[in-house]
Amino acid sequence: MNLLEYQKGLENREIKPLNIVQSEDEYVLKTFTDKLSSLYEVKLLWGDELERKSFFSMLTEGEMFTRKKKVFVVKKGEEFLKSVKDGAYFVSLAKKLNKVSVFFVISEKINKSQLEKEPLKTILSIGDFLEAKSPDKRKVRELVKSRFVKEGRDIDESALEYLLEITSYNLVELKNEVDKLLLYKEGKITLEDVKSVCFSSAEYTIFDFINAFYTKDMEKSLVYLSSLLKSGISPLQIQAILINYSIRLFVASTSARDQTDKDKIFTELSLNNPYLRHSFKIYMEKFTAMEVKNLILKLHTLDIAEKVYFADPQESLKNFVIEYLRYAGS
């Protein structure tokens, strides 16, 4: 069964104790795991780290103290299954599991003859065989288009087609690139925007510069900025992203007290991408709330200098980066 179909109505489905997932698409698998996590207590394990003797106790640890069903997702499941080829072991294991289910995720392609060999043959007599297949191109296009609509943004058809082609319709890559585009600028997204942000003709991308700036690396910031400006990226667009990041960083720095707070604030700030969350945690360690406040004021001053007093945007932005990072590093 296709994993996308399996997860429909998952809350009403009786999940079998042992199951096999053949993973062809990491994004589909992640979507499934997220769905599981919204319903049950989910724990991720790695097959190459598991041992036959301790596996059962690991699955049932704390079982008598919880009423919620527990689900274990075992990545690199093939490694554990190779070490335990005894079908009787899995029959015995399934009988002992009460409020626990296991999904063994196998990244290798499985053919029909392999399904008829142990231990897969026995496991599939107990549980389900699910395939995390990539959606067809038409479905992927609809998913990407709906993401822009959900965010209240419009994208040119030529830009959308180009984005799909350069990512080869890979949902994991598409999610990252769409997140970048949504942060890049306001208004309609054009083909030029996609080329600039996703696969820029510059040696570096705008997000290389952003990461260098918010980790206070002046040398890299200037190298990346120079490359971007030479490739034709507008300094005003770069400033817009700096302002966007700075405001979010200030809100996060002044609102979050602990890790739980951080995750809640990140969600409220639409920082849902794992890479962005990780980056912002690093930025929060590099910048104090007072430094970020000062940064916002200086960016505001820079904006006035350019728009009111007609200061040259390229030179002004370069000077701003040098002066601010010199101040921040002192």
Side-chain angles (χ1 to χ4, degrees):
M1 181 186 295
N2 191 304
L3 194 61
L4 290 172
E5 292 297 321
Y6 180 85
Q7 72 183 51
K8 290 179 180 177
L10 187 62
E11 59 274 11
N12 299 317
R13 187 182 294 278
E14 183 178 345
I15 302 177
K16 295 176 182 177
L18 302 177
N19 306 276
I20 299 292
V21 177
Q22 181 184 335
S23 177
E24 295 179 11
D25 192 294
E26 190 66 26
Y27 183 84
V28 174
L29 179 63
K30 182 182 183 305
T31 301
F32 174 62
T33 305
D34 289 344
K35 177 73 172 180
L36 282 174
S37 299
S38 69
L39 299 170
Y40 311 112
E41 182 181 333
V42 175
K43 185 171 182 179
L44 182 65
L45 301 175
W46 296 90
D48 56 349
E49 298 176 357
L50 299 178
E51 295 181 357
R52 173 175 175 155
K53 290 182 180 179
S54 59
F55 189 46
F56 174 70
S57 59
M58 187 179 297
L59 297 180
T60 55
E61 184 179 5
E63 185 179 26
M64 63 185 297
F65 299 106
T66 179
R67 295 182 179 180
K68 198 171 185 179
K69 183 178 181 67
K70 296 173 71 175
V71 176
F72 290 82
V73 176
V74 182
K75 285 201 165 187
K76 293 187 178 180
E78 62 270 23
E79 298 299 325
F80 181 67
L81 300 181
K82 286 175 184 176
S83 66
V84 186
K85 296 183 178 180
D86 180 9
Y89 167 83
F90 291 100
V91 172
S92 174
L93 179 66
K95 288 179 179 179
K96 294 176 183 177
L97 298 179
N98 183 15
K99 295 181 291 183
V100 175
S101 290
V102 182
F103 290 90
F104 292 102
V105 179
I106 299 177
S107 55
E108 300 173 352
K109 185 71 175 176
I110 306 174
N111 57 42
K112 188 176 180 180
S113 63
Q114 288 174 303
L115 294 176
E116 296 173 349
K117 294 179 181 179
E118 296 295 355
L120 293 179
K121 181 179 179 180
T122 295
I123 294 174
L124 295 181
S125 70
I126 300 168
D128 290 312
F129 177 63
L130 307 166
E131 295 177 280
K133 291 184 175 180
S134 301
D136 61 40
K137 289 185 176 182
R138 181 181 57 81
K139 183 65 175 177
V140 172
R141 192 182 194 284
E142 291 174 1
L143 286 170
V144 176
K145 183 79 172 180
S146 65
R147 172 71 193 285
F148 285 110
V149 171
K150 182 181 178 181
E151 298 291 339
R153 302 290 294 280
D154 195 12
I155 180 170
D156 284 338
E157 287 299 312
S158 59
L160 178 59
E161 292 299 331
Y162 183 76
L163 177 62
L164 293 168
E165 288 299 325
I166 61 175
T167 56
S168 300
Y169 288 78
N170 183 291
L171 285 168
V172 175
E173 289 185 19
L174 278 167
K175 184 179 187 307
N176 292 332
E177 300 305 327
V178 169
D179 284 341
K180 291 179 185 178
L181 286 167
L182 291 172
L183 284 169
Y184 182 55
K185 55 172 269 191
E186 298 295 328
K188 192 171 189 176
I189 295 169
T190 66
L191 177 59
E192 289 69 29
D193 294 329
V194 176
K195 288 181 177 180
S196 296
V197 176
C198 301
F199 284 81
S200 175
S201 58
E203 186 178 354
Y204 306 103
T205 72
I206 195 167
F207 291 95
D208 289 323
F209 165 71
I210 291 295
N211 191 62
F213 183 87
Y214 285 101
T215 53
K216 297 184 179 180
D217 189 324
M218 183 188 292
E219 183 177 352
K220 286 184 178 179
S221 293
L222 293 174
V223 170
Y224 298 158
L225 179 60
S226 178
S227 177
L228 292 171
L229 294 175
K230 286 178 181 178
S231 71
I233 303 295
S234 167
L236 296 180
Q237 286 183 332
I238 298 173
Q239 285 171 218
I241 296 180
L242 282 172
I243 293 169
N244 183 304
Y245 269 57
S246 297
I247 292 173
R248 294 185 188 200
L249 188 57
F250 181 72
V251 173
S253 298
T254 55
S255 304
R257 294 185 298 275
D258 53 33
Q259 187 58 51
T260 303
D261 271 355
K262 282 183 184 178
D263 292 335
K264 182 180 178 182
I265 294 299
F266 286 165
T267 299
E268 292 175 356
L269 293 172
S270 298
L271 296 172
N272 299 313
N273 182 283
Y275 173 76
L276 273 178
R277 288 193 175 209
H278 176 70
S279 297
F280 265 76
K281 288 175 183 177
I282 293 174
Y283 304 158
M284 289 171 71
E285 293 174 359
K286 295 286 185 178
F287 282 80
T288 65
M290 185 59 67
E291 284 179 317
V292 184
K293 181 179 179 180
N294 181 267
L295 173 58
I296 293 171
L297 291 173
K298 288 185 177 295
L299 282 167
H300 179 64
T301 302
L302 173 63
D303 192 57
I304 292 175
E306 293 167 339
K307 294 178 180 177
V308 177
Y309 298 103
F310 305 105
D312 179 75
Q314 285 201 17
E315 289 304 313
S316 297
L317 181 57
K318 284 183 181 178
N319 291 334
F320 164 80
V321 171
I322 294 171
E323 291 173 9
Y324 184 78
L325 289 182
R326 183 177 292 155
Y327 153 80
S330 62

